[in-house]
Amino acid sequence: MANVMQLLPEIPPGEQAAISGIVQNISEESEQMFAMAYRNQRKDETTILLFALIGLVLIAGVQRFVLGHIGLGVLYLLTAGLCFIGTIVDAVNHKKLASEYNVKIAHQIAMNLSSGSSIRS
């Protein structure tokens, strides 16, 4: 578990706490694979903020498409970001949106690795 945190030093402290709980059942052999997959799939808070600001100016809902919320992305696209209010809320809550997405991705990666019979007993 400590090895994963050493492999991911760029992860903010709050996210590290969530990841620590998720990777506790991953074998040491899978920790490096987890770190590589997580680093490639996680979304940075700044990136989500940037996409939300692009949504205000150009294409409403782009931040929701990036986060995998296709239904909300289409809704935002068709309603100009729910008359810009939804897009502004997303810009303000960009850290929470990124954190929720990253924890979801970490769970998926850990589940995929553990289903490959690499769980510690």
Side-chain angles (χ1 to χ4, degrees):
M1 175 171 61
N3 190 29
V4 171
M5 294 307 121
Q6 291 172 350
L7 293 171
L8 298 167
E10 70 276 9
I11 305 298
E15 196 173 327
Q16 281 184 357
I19 299 302
S20 295
I22 294 168
V23 299
Q24 64 188 5
N25 294 327
I26 294 178
S27 68
E28 290 181 24
E29 299 84 37
S30 298
E31 287 179 344
Q32 188 168 7
M33 291 187 335
F34 174 87
M36 288 181 0
Y38 184 69
R39 182 176 283 125
N40 288 332
Q41 295 181 35
R42 76 180 290 274
K43 303 293 183 205
D44 187 50
E45 299 165 351
T46 309
T47 304
I48 301 305
L49 177 60
L50 177 66
F51 280 119
L53 295 176
I54 289 171
L56 276 172
V57 178
L58 295 174
I59 304 170
V62 69
Q63 74 279 8
R64 291 298 182 159
F65 287 112
V66 168
L67 292 170
H69 304 153
I70 305 303
L72 276 174
V74 170
L75 179 67
Y76 278 33
L77 188 63
L78 296 175
T79 62
L82 299 174
C83 297
F84 299 107
I85 295 170
T87 304
I88 292 169
V89 170
D90 284 356
V92 171
N93 292 325
H94 68 280
K95 290 181 181 183
K96 180 181 175 197
L97 290 170
S99 177
E100 289 172 353
Y101 176 84
N102 291 337
V103 168
K104 177 182 156 191
I105 289 300
H107 277 290
Q108 289 175 353
I109 294 169
M111 214 166 45
N112 290 341
L113 288 174
S114 63
S115 67
S117 71
S118 57
I119 295 180
R120 269 187 253 171
S121 38

